[in-house]
Amino acid sequence: MNEQAIQSIVEEIVSRLKGSSVKYHSIPMAVSARHCHLSQKDLEVLFGTGYQLTKKADLSQPGQFAANETITIAGPRGSIEKVRILGPARNITQVEISRTDSVKLGLKPPLRESGNIEGSSPVTLIGPKGSIYKKEGLIIAQAHIHMAPEDAETFGVKNGEYVKVEAEGERPISMGNVLIRISPRYRLEMHIDTDEANAGFITGKTAGRLIRQEESL
Amino acid sequence: MNEQAIQSIVEEIVSRLKGSSVKYHSIPMAVSARHCHLSQKDLEVLFGTGYQLTKKADLSQPGQFAANETITIAGPRGSIEKVRILGPARNITQVEISRTDSVKLGLKPPLRESGNIEGSSPVTLIGPKGSIYKKEGLIIAQAHIHMAPEDAETFGVKNGEYVKVEAEGERPISMGNVLIRISPRYRLEMHIDTDEANAGFITGKTAGRLIRQEESL
C-alpha cells in the first residue's frame, strides 16, 4: 500500500468516526401524571354554565396551571377519579393517560403528540354538574422536549425532530422517538408519563441525556 | 507523516473500531404482572390448615405455574385485590409488584433480584381464612433474562452479568442493568414488569435485542 492510499484511508476513517460521534446534552425531566385539557364548552357542561377554572399551582411552562378542579374519566372496563384539569381552557378537549391507565379503563388510546387527537380513543368525562361522551380525545402522550429557539440552536436540533434520551440511575432506561418541540414560549424540559417514569425510576430531579446522531451518519 | 506512523494509526483505529463493535442477540420477552410466591406456612395461614395450591396454567419456566388462588395485598395508602399466587410453594414468601403499584399501596419496595428480600418492604397479605403482616418480602423485580448454559455460551454471557436490552417498536425503549440468570432448568426468556412493558408498549410477542459490550472496550 502506498503512502497516498493509506493517507486517504486514514482520512476516510477519521471522517466516519467524526460522523458517528454522538453529542450529549443534559435535559431536566418532568413527569406528567394523567390530566385533561378542556374546552370552555365542555368545562361548562361538566361544572355548570359560565364556570371558570381556579388555579391550584403554576406549571413550569409559562401561563399553564394545574386547576383545583378534577373530573372522573370512564371507559367500558372501569373509571379513574380525580383526574386533574390543566388550565387555561383550550380549543379542543384532550385527555392524556398512561398505558397502565388505559388497561384499567378498557380503552386503547393511541400514542400521539399533544393536539393531534383525530381518530383517537373515545372517553367519558364526568363532572359535578354533568357528563359527556367524547368520540375522540383520549391519547397517550408521546414523550417530548419543550425548548426555546436558543436551546435548539445550542443543541443543534430542529422542531419536529426525534431524538433519544437516556436516564441513568438505579434502573437505567433510554427512550427513543422523543419529539423536539420548539417555541419562544417554552422552557427547556422533557415531559414523560408515569409509565416511563416508573420504568426508569425517574423523578423530577432526574436529568436526561439528549443523544443526537449527527446528520452525516 | 511517514508511512509507518500512518500505518500504526490505521491499525490503532481499526483495533478500536473492532473493540467497540456491539453484538446483537434476540431474546423473547415476557411481562410479569404483580404476583406472589408463598411459603407453605403462610399459604396455610391465608387459606387454612393443609391447603394446597391448585393449578390454573403452566408458566414458561418448567415446573412453575399460576395458581387459581389470589390474595389481597395492602399498605398504609391502599390495597390491591386479586394478586395471583405462583406455585409451587417456596421456602420464603415474596411479593413482586411494579413501582406504579407501590404508589397505590403507599409502600417503597426496593428493586431486587428474586430471592433477595432481606430488608425489603413490609406488606400485609389477606386471604379468605386469615391475614399476615410480613416484615419484609415486598420487592420490585429487577429485569432479568433466564437462560440455559448453552444459550449463555452462544451469547457469550456469564451468570450474574448485567446486559442492556433494546425493544424496538412504536415506543422504542432500552433497559440497562438487566441480570443474566443461568440454569439448566431455564428456558430463554426475559422477564420485565408491567411498568417496563407499558413504557415500551412491549407485549409477549415483542423480541428484545440483547446488547453486550465486548470485553475489549
Side-chain angles (χ1 to χ4, degrees), chain B residues 24-46:
Chain B
Y24 298 110
H25 301 295
S26 180
I27 303 283
M29 303 188 78
V31 184
S32 296
R34 67 180 79 97
H35 64 271
C36 67
H37 306 275
L38 296 179
S39 66
Q40 183 60 31
K41 187 182 159 200
D42 287 344
L43 175 66
E44 296 194 13
V45 173
L46 298 171

Side-chain angles (χ1 to χ4, degrees), chain A residues 37-99:
Chain A
H37 306 277
L38 296 179
S39 66
Q40 182 61 33
K41 186 182 160 203
D42 286 345
L43 175 66
E44 296 193 14
V45 174
L46 298 172
F47 287 85
T49 307
Y51 195 87
Q52 295 291 324
L53 290 173
T54 61
K55 189 186 291 188
K56 178 187 166 78
D58 283 313
L59 298 180
S60 59
Q61 297 306 317
Q64 302 291 303
F65 63 90
N68 289 301
E69 292 79 6
T70 63
I71 59 171
T72 295
I73 60 174
R77 210 176 159 200
S79 65
I80 298 176
E81 297 178 1
K82 294 184 183 159
V83 176
R84 183 72 52 194
I85 302 173
L86 302 192
R90 290 191 177 183
N91 290 334
I92 296 173
T93 290
Q94 173 177 300
V95 183
E96 300 174 39
I97 64 171
S98 67
R99 169 64 73 102

Side-chain angles (χ1 to χ4, degrees), chain A residues 152-201:
Chain A
E153 196 157 329
T154 308
F155 298 168
V157 294
K158 298 195 188 79
N159 193 46
E161 182 176 339
Y162 292 94
V163 298
K164 188 169 149 183
V165 175
E166 287 185 353
E168 295 291 333
E170 193 186 357
R171 213 183 197 186
I173 191 179
S174 84
M175 291 160 275
N177 286 1
V178 176
L179 184 67
I180 299 289
R181 297 176 62 184
I182 301 171
S183 162
R185 293 179 296 116
Y186 290 158
R187 214 176 92 178
L188 181 64
E189 195 170 63
M190 175 167 178
H191 288 188
I192 58 173
D193 76 6
T194 47
D195 283 340
E196 293 165 320
N198 289 335
F201 286 8

